[in-house]
């Protein structure tokens, strides 16, 4: 069974630009969660989608948004990039987030210059 | 607000030793607790998941325990190997099914 895939793996953007990251969950998984990982703040929850609906959202500004498609693939978008958005963005899939094991992708390393 | 703490932040031990990593949380109203490992520059690998009704889980050389009442979990690694070197993170699932993370313990096993 293929694991969670994330594209692109690396991304360099400049301040003010926007970016879209993609996550394909394990086949059959309907929940996708997104996390931001930085050296200073550690891992922080961004949001979680289940069957195309956002069920939970972390404490991030509205510049961070996401969506999930009918095939459970998910995208997250960050608009008006700031230097502080530089981070490793991880997505995880599970059958039912929070009550089931979450399987993580390799992450997308975003660098904002 | 749930807070998760991992002690120690870093640990270096010789190969072959048994070791314990600690995780504590402030709110006992959790659904489960998970232990992950992260290798440098890579994503996370789930090691063990303990449901709130369980006391421990075992997988190979790994054993994780959970004491909800005291807000503590331990990850026991038996007969450590250099390949166990990684950062170990614990996370608790709160009432909104969000994972709240500890900062991790960086483990180095010396050959």
């Amino acid at each position: 069974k293929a694991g969670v895939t994330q594209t692109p793996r690396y991304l360099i953007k400049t301040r003010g630009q926007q970016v879209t990251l993609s996550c394909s969950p394990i086949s059959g998984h309907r929940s996708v969660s997104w996390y931001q990982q930085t050296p200073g703040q550690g891992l922080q929850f961004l949001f979680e989608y289940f069957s195309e609906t956002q069920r939970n959202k972390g404490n991030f500004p509205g510049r961070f948004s996401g969506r999930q498609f009918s095939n459970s693939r998910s995208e997250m978008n960050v608009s008006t990039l700031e230097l502080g958005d530089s981070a490793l963005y991880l997505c995880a899939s599970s059958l039912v987030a929070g009550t089931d094991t979450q399987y993580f992708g390799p992450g997308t390393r975003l660098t904002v210059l | 607000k749930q807070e998760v703490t991992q002690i120690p932040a870093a640990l270096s031990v010789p190969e072959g030793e048994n070791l314990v990593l600690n995780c504590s949380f402030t709110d006992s109203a959790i659904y489960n607790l998970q232990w992950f490992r992260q290798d440098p520059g890579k994503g996370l690998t789930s090691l063990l998941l303990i449901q709130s009704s369980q006391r421990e889980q075992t997988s190979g050389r790994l054993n994780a325990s959970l004491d909800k009442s005291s807000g503590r979990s331990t990850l026991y690694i038996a007969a450590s190997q250099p390949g166990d070197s990684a950062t170990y993170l614990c996370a608790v699932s709160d009432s909104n099914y969000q994972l709240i993370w500890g900062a991790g313990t960086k483990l180095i096993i010396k050959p």
Side-chain angles (χ1 to χ4, degrees), chain A residues 89-102:
Chain A
Y89 290 88
L90 294 161
C91 92
S93 78
S94 63
L95 291 171
V96 180
T99 60
D100 197 9
T101 298
Q102 293 199 14

Side-chain angles (χ1 to χ4, degrees), chain B residues 2-4 24-28 30 33 66 68 71-72 92:
Chain B
Q2 177 75 270
E3 293 183 1
V4 180
S24 62
F25 47 95
T26 55
D27 187 348
S28 62
I30 64 170
L33 183 145
L66 174 64
K68 262 183 46 172
R72 293 183 180 184
V92 297

